[in-house]
Amino acid sequence: MTLAKVAGFLAVFCQGLPTVIGRPVDQPMVYYDNFVSDRLTKITPSNESLSFAKKAVYNNNETHGICNIFSSFLMTWDGNPDKGKADLVGLMMGVHHFNNRNSAVVKDLEDIDDKCKIRFTLDFVDSEGDPKIATNALSRAIGKDEACVVVGAAYSSVSIPMAVISGINSVPQLSHASTSTELDDHKNYPFFSRLVPSDAGVADAMVKYFAESIKMSHICIVYVSNSYGISYAKAIQNAAYKYSIQTQAFALPSNPDEDTMLQLIQHLKQTNIRYFVAVTFDFEILMASAITGGIVGPDYFWMFTDSIAVSTLEKIVEKGSSEATARMGIGRIYVTPDRPGVKGYDKYLAVYNGIGEEEVAYFNSKLPAQGDIKGVEYYGNFTTDFFNPKSENYQAPDSCALYLYDSVIALGIAACKSAGTDGIFFSSRSQYDYFSTNSFEGASGTIGIDPVTFSRAVNSVRFSIFNSVEAYTSEGKSKFTMESSSTFYNGTWNQKSPFIYADGSKFPPPNLPPTVVNKNFINTTVFVTGLVMFIIISVLSIGFASYTIYNIEHGVMKAAQPHFLCLLCIGTLVLGCTIIPLIFDDKRSNQQFLNHKCMSIPWLVSIGYGTIFSTFFIKTWRLNRLFDNAEALRRIAVKKKDVIGPFFVVLALNIITLTVWTIRSPLFYQRQIISKDEFDRVAESNGSCVKTNGEWPIYVTLLGLINFSVLVFANIQAFRARKIELDFSESQFLFIAMICTIQVTFIGIPLNYIVADTNNSASCFMSIIIIFVSCAANLLLIFVPKIKYCHENRSVRGIMIQKKPSKVTETFLKLTHDVQEVSVGSNMRSSSHIQDEHVNQIKKLEKLNESKDTEIADLKMKNLDLENTIQRSKP
């Protein structure tokens, strides 16, 4: 299980290293290993707060302070021990270089004072990823005073219980791979630190990539439910919140079965999110279930963390298979000091690639046994091909090997810097404090510790996004390799090469399923209907006005007051023009036009209705004045200029009110959100005219009062003229037209208000109908009878004779006709002469009526006498 008390270091290894490193080695490692044998005597420091050391006399009675490193991490990854073996080499190289102050990789080793007599020895345990194995071995080592410092473990679930033990015993612990944010709690783990950033740092870099490079807005997190997965998922959520990215997280048990994984995939699919981050160790079963669930391929994006080894992602599969589809375009984020071009890595790699047969023999002797099975049999022996870049069996060192190397160097430098004057004894607290507050250039870059989390500072490491890229073998199969796409350093992402996504393009797939926003545009049917109705109103208004002007000398038109008929046509034409701004929205026009159209609607409606209602009022008022004066036998000439005043008053009031409204509180067009979908995207919106401020009710009320008052007065005048028997009085037609206008307005406006905020087409259609009915009813009811009379070539007098009106009515009609003639022609007789004749005629008629009434009364008396005589003559 262990590299028990490392001894017997082969001198040939130490003698061979100088040719690689370029610096003479003072002593072989076996020299220091012998210091921890049971036969040696302990020396207790005078200050009890300092850690212990051991003393041996060897070669000129030299004294050394021995610090034994206890290390434990997982040797076998995905069934392959080669990565673990390369990591172990990094650990042993660190011990060897520190003991001999070899600065081939870390220049700071040159600055260690020669007075520092501290040297490292090593005990290693393969934790197998099991906390029990690691903690039991650590407890035994501490109990034997054989754990001066602790290096490891890889899994957070193993490092956490180890950190509890090391913290209780005041033993500094450095991890090379544990990233759980739980370990940032310095209160619970006072002697724990690590040479990797915590999950919070990695998550922040990853989410920044999502936000800036992919423009991601939503993401699903799949995480294994252990300390590593839980803390990583929480760190992603915290970072996503900072970048305004929405997250949903789903937990997986360790070693999930197929049914559990399929259930998870169904939950992921139901979210409708297409971007996933997987913090799990179960790549194969996860992607197999994702294939079954249909959430892989061109429309999806998967990102994996360092929990999945590169060897798992780089694989040869059948071309065009579902597995090939699943692997194409996936990403992996990883801390990457282990790349050519990084200064520390290049130095480390020079030493690593120069290892020969003699060094290989030593490494084989240090592979830990597993029970009765020798290490070389259990893990496979080292060969020179393992270190030969040209060999197919070459195992390049990754970041873990560099972190292990730097961990040993960091602990060694801190021990020497915190040692006492004798250069042998040091306190664990002083060593830990020095390490956590100082930096140096190591194999993995600049070693800097965050003073808050005591983890490696994010800006001192490099992160890379790796892209799974497909190539083809000579056999026609798909070969996937992980290629670096972007690198994060010192807070900035830099693209090295475009990321190739699952569809083979450089463009990321949509983060969410496409959404169709219902913008409630005015549909084409309503638009065309509005245009047709506007054309009809325009044709009717212009046509009837033209007909009136053309037949202005006709008796029917003269009696109907043609100037007021033309004024009515102008009012309906203005009101009908309201349809044009109503049927346009941002689908068919620009913002400037729409802003103007919003304010044009109240102008056209108010002036249009005001003109129509004023015309009704003037016509009926004039008629009633003539009739009232005729019955009173008074001479009167009611000219146009005498009754046109109300029209101008109404027009002026409308214009003044609308002008103030336009200046102080203009309407403008704006699209407003009605509803959003589950991703807070706009699902439905509505474009409408909105108010600038709260003054608009004042202007609407004033305009309503002005125009409605005219309508009320017009109805009153029409009601008063309802019994006039003149065919051309128009009272009943005017009354019907106004009633139609009132009905369609009072029914249409509430319905329009109900649908105004949700359905533009319905609202627009209701408004068009109100305007069309108002205009058409008034035009048709007023003009159609007159056109009919004109085509029949009928005159006022002819109609009166056909209907046999009363003598008073006939006289009134003649009077009205004569008054019309007075107002039209300047060559007519004077109005006073005509009035005298009319008065004389009326008096003669009245006398004739009186005589007839007397004769009728006499006949009735005679008839009554005759009836009495008959009654008496009966027996």
Side-chain angles (χ1 to χ4, degrees):
M1 291 291 292
T2 68
L3 287 173
K5 301 179 181 179
V6 181
F9 191 151
L10 299 177
V12 291
F13 169 66
C14 299
Q15 294 170 357
L17 277 178
T19 61
V20 178
I21 299 175
R23 181 180 178 183
V25 177
D26 296 331
Q27 296 292 349
M29 185 174 287
V30 66
Y31 178 82
Y32 304 107
D33 291 340
N34 288 332
F35 283 20
V36 296
S37 62
D38 292 337
R39 61 182 175 80
L40 299 177
T41 306
K42 289 183 181 181
I43 298 177
T44 303
S46 57
N47 186 344
E48 294 183 357
S49 65
L50 300 179
S51 61
F52 74 90
K54 293 185 178 181
K55 176 186 176 181
V57 178
Y58 193 84
N59 285 349
N60 301 321
N61 297 324
E62 186 177 13
T63 303
H64 293 285
I66 299 301
C67 179
N68 191 56
I69 297 175
F70 173 85
S71 181
S72 179
F73 52 82
L74 178 66
M75 280 284 290
T76 304
W77 294 75
D78 296 328
N80 185 359
D82 287 348
K83 177 188 179 308
K85 290 160 64 178
D87 294 345
L88 183 59
V89 170
L91 183 69
M92 291 188 289
M93 282 178 60
V95 171
H96 177 73
H97 282 194
F98 171 73
N99 287 344
N100 293 282
R101 310 301 191 252
N102 192 317
S103 61
V105 179
V106 179
K107 192 173 185 301
D108 288 53
L109 289 176
E110 295 178 350
D111 299 331
I112 296 178
D113 196 317
D114 291 339
K115 294 180 179 179
C116 180
K117 304 301 182 181
I118 299 170
R119 298 294 187 272
F120 284 147
T121 54
L122 175 66
D123 277 343
F124 173 74
V125 174
D126 181 359
S127 69
E128 302 179 28
D130 188 345
K132 293 182 180 179
I133 295 175
T135 53
N136 288 339
L138 176 60
S139 297
R140 288 194 298 269
I142 291 177
K144 296 179 180 180
D145 290 336
E146 293 178 355
C148 177
V149 292
V150 177
V151 176
Y155 286 174
S156 297
S157 57
V158 178
S159 288
I160 289 173
M162 289 177 65
V164 173
I165 296 173
S166 62
I168 293 173
N169 292 276
S170 300
V171 177
Q173 177 182 347
L174 255 66
S175 172
H176 62 289
S178 296
T179 57
S180 172
T181 55
E182 182 179 345
L183 290 166
D184 287 338
D185 188 349
H186 197 59
K187 181 178 180 181
N188 290 330
Y189 312 106
F191 280 86
F192 179 84
S193 188
R194 48 192 163 191
L195 287 192
V196 289
S198 70
D199 292 332
V202 182
D204 190 76
M206 176 170 59
V207 173
K208 186 173 184 178
Y209 175 82
F210 291 157
E212 296 178 354
S213 300
I214 306 182
K215 310 301 181 185
M216 185 184 296
S217 61
H218 292 74
I219 189 170
C220 276
I221 307 168
V222 181
Y223 66 95
V224 61
S225 54
N226 58 20
S227 57
Y228 165 73
I230 294 171
S231 66
Y232 210 136
K234 185 176 180 180
I236 295 174
Q237 289 176 311
N238 292 338
Y241 178 80
K242 183 170 66 174
Y243 289 97
S244 299
I245 296 178
Q246 302 296 317
T247 62
Q248 294 190 44
F250 299 87
L252 267 178
S254 299
N255 302 316
D257 56 28
E258 184 177 351
D259 291 338
T260 302
M261 193 66 81
L262 286 173
Q263 290 178 5
L264 169 73
I265 295 300
Q266 289 303 314
H267 290 315
L268 294 177
K269 190 173 184 178
Q270 290 171 3
T271 65
N272 287 323
I273 298 174
R274 299 185 175 188
Y275 282 39
F276 309 99
V277 172
V279 188
T280 178
F281 303 97
D282 303 292
F283 175 82
E284 299 291 348
I285 187 172
L286 173 63
M287 297 312 289
S289 300
I291 292 170
T292 303
I295 57 173
V296 296
D299 294 331
Y300 298 90
F301 173 73
W302 284 85
M303 175 69 75
F304 292 89
T305 64
D306 56 0
S307 58
I308 302 298
V310 174
S311 58
T312 302
L313 301 177
E314 295 185 333
K315 192 174 181 180
I316 297 176
V317 299
E318 291 295 329
K319 180 181 178 181
S321 64
S322 56
E323 186 176 1
T325 301
R327 289 176 177 272
M328 182 63 186
I330 63 177
R332 179 178 185 261
I333 187 169
Y334 193 57
V335 182
T336 53
D338 51 331
R339 286 294 174 267
V342 179
K343 187 175 181 180
Y345 176 74
D346 289 342
K347 291 181 179 181
Y348 181 90
L349 196 63
V351 176
Y352 184 87
N353 291 344
I355 292 175
E357 293 183 359
E358 295 175 350
E359 295 88 341
V360 166
Y362 171 73
F363 292 146
N364 283 328
S365 70
K366 302 310 173 188
L367 288 172
Q370 293 291 329
D372 296 332
I373 304 176
K374 294 182 179 180
V376 292
E377 297 176 3
Y378 188 86
Y379 298 106
N381 63 322
F382 285 102
T383 65
T384 53
D385 286 346
F386 192 90
F387 304 98
N388 183 5
K390 297 180 180 180
S391 171
E392 293 182 356
N393 297 321
Y394 177 69
Q395 179 64 44
D398 67 3
S399 57
C400 284
L402 274 65
Y403 291 141
L404 286 165
Y405 177 90
D406 284 342
S407 296
V408 175
I409 301 300
L411 290 170
I413 293 175
C416 286
K417 294 296 183 180
S418 57
T421 57
D422 54 12
I424 297 177
F425 300 104
F426 60 93
S427 72
S428 298
R429 171 53 63 188
S430 297
Q431 180 193 29
Y432 182 85
D433 290 346
Y434 182 90
F435 159 75
S436 60
T437 55
N438 288 273
S439 64
F440 66 93
E441 291 295 326
S444 60
T446 302
I447 310 299
I449 303 300
D450 188 310
V452 177
T453 64
F454 290 87
S455 302
R456 187 162 180 174
V458 175
N459 60 3
S460 70
V461 294
R462 297 176 186 271
F463 299 100
S464 287
I465 296 292
F466 290 90
N467 181 199
S468 178
V469 178
E470 183 181 25
Y472 301 107
T473 65
S474 57
E475 293 82 11
K477 293 185 177 183
S478 295
K479 180 181 180 180
F480 290 93
T481 56
M482 300 302 295
E483 298 182 2
S484 179
S485 173
S486 296
T487 301
F488 181 85
Y489 185 71
N490 202 21
T492 303
W493 280 102
N494 296 301
Q495 187 181 74
K496 296 175 61 179
S497 62
F499 194 100
I500 305 301
Y501 294 90
D503 60 354
S505 74
K506 302 174 184 178
F507 305 101
N511 193 183
L512 301 171
T515 179
V516 179
V517 180
N518 180 10
K519 294 188 175 182
N520 284 305
F521 287 128
I522 296 171
N523 61 47
T524 304
T525 302
V526 175
F527 181 80
V528 172
T529 301
L531 285 178
V532 171
M533 290 185 174
F534 167 71
I535 293 171
I536 292 172
I537 293 172
S538 300
V539 170
L540 290 176
S541 299
I542 297 172
F544 286 147
S546 301
Y547 185 88
T548 300
I549 294 171
Y550 182 78
N551 295 282
I552 196 169
E553 295 298 329
H554 196 285
V556 173
M557 289 301 174
K558 284 184 178 181
Q561 308 174 64
H563 297 84
F564 295 128
L565 292 179
C566 290
L567 189 61
L568 174 63
C569 291
I570 293 173
T572 55
L573 182 60
V574 171
L575 181 60
C577 287
T578 310
I579 294 176
I580 296 301
L582 281 174
I583 61 177
F584 280 91
D585 55 17
D586 47 342
K587 179 182 179 181
R588 297 180 174 89
S589 53
N590 56 40
Q591 184 67 37
Q592 184 178 6
F593 173 83
L594 294 173
N595 289 337
H596 291 320
K597 82 113 177 182
C598 283
M599 206 60 229
S600 69
I601 293 173
W603 275 86
L604 294 172
V605 170
S606 299
I607 294 176
Y609 272 121
T611 302
I612 295 172
F613 297 157
S614 297
T615 303
F616 289 165
F617 172 74
I618 292 170
K619 286 177 65 66
T620 54
W621 180 45
R622 188 184 191 209
L623 181 64
N624 284 327
R625 287 189 65 189
L626 289 172
F627 186 82
D628 292 343
N629 283 279
E631 287 189 338
L633 302 178
R634 291 193 297 269
R635 292 184 302 174
I636 184 172
V638 184
K639 299 180 182 180
K640 292 183 291 296
K641 66 180 181 180
D642 298 326
V643 293
I644 201 68
F647 165 73
F648 285 114
V649 171
V650 173
L651 180 62
L653 291 174
N654 275 320
I655 292 176
I656 292 171
T657 305
L658 289 166
T659 301
V660 175
W661 185 0
T662 303
I663 295 173
R664 290 186 55 84
S665 182
L667 301 176
F668 63 93
Y669 188 88
Q670 187 179 62
R671 182 156 291 279
Q672 296 173 310
I673 297 173
I674 296 176
S675 63
K676 294 184 177 182
D677 63 11
E678 58 186 309
F679 302 112
D680 202 35
R681 297 180 298 180
V682 176
E684 185 176 6
S685 65
N686 188 51
S688 61
C689 296
V690 297
K691 297 83 180 175
T692 304
N693 53 47
E695 294 182 5
W696 66 271
I698 300 174
Y699 308 115
V700 172
T701 303
L702 288 174
L703 292 172
L705 289 174
I706 292 169
N707 295 295
F708 186 73
S709 298
V710 179
L711 179 63
V712 171
F713 287 126
N715 275 277
I716 293 173
Q717 294 297 326
F719 181 79
R720 288 183 58 199
R722 70 190 185 283
K723 293 183 179 180
I724 297 177
E725 298 179 4
L726 298 174
D727 279 7
F728 304 111
S729 68
E730 304 167 315
S731 300
Q732 65 181 27
F733 296 116
L734 290 174
F735 186 74
I736 294 172
M738 287 185 286
I739 290 300
C740 287
T741 302
I742 293 173
Q743 284 182 336
V744 73
T745 301
F746 277 88
I747 293 175
I749 289 178
L751 292 176
N752 194 8
Y753 178 79
I754 293 173
V755 300
D757 293 333
T758 57
N759 193 323
N760 267 356
S761 293
S763 174
C764 179
F765 184 74
M766 289 300 303
S767 300
I768 292 172
I769 291 298
I770 294 172
I771 293 170
F772 180 79
V773 172
S774 298
C775 295
N778 291 313
L779 290 171
L780 296 175
L781 287 170
I782 298 301
F783 282 95
V784 170
K786 292 174 178 54
I787 294 174
K788 178 183 177 185
Y789 293 151
C790 287
H791 278 256
E792 291 176 356
N793 199 26
R794 298 167 67 181
S795 64
V796 177
R797 292 186 182 277
I799 294 170
M800 292 300 101
I801 293 172
Q802 291 174 16
K803 285 202 168 186
K804 297 181 180 180
S806 66
K807 295 293 183 179
V808 176
T809 302
E810 183 180 4
T811 303
F812 169 73
L813 289 171
K814 185 177 183 300
L815 176 62
T816 303
H817 181 261
D818 290 340
V819 172
Q820 291 286 345
E821 292 178 349
V822 170
S823 62
V824 175
S826 60
N827 58 345
M828 304 295 288
R829 292 178 299 170
S830 66
S831 59
S832 60
H833 182 72
I834 295 173
Q835 289 290 346
D836 290 340
E837 287 184 359
H838 287 172
V839 171
N840 291 333
Q841 289 177 5
I842 291 172
K843 287 181 178 180
K844 289 178 181 181
L845 290 173
E846 288 177 348
K847 288 180 179 180
L848 179 61
N849 286 337
E850 289 176 0
S851 63
K852 293 295 182 180
D853 291 340
T854 303
E855 291 177 3
I856 291 172
D858 290 342
L859 289 174
K860 287 182 178 180
M861 291 300 296
K862 290 178 180 181
N863 186 50
L864 182 59
D865 292 341
L866 181 59
E867 288 180 354
N868 291 336
T869 302
I870 292 172
Q871 288 293 334
R872 286 195 300 270
S873 65
K874 287 183 181 180

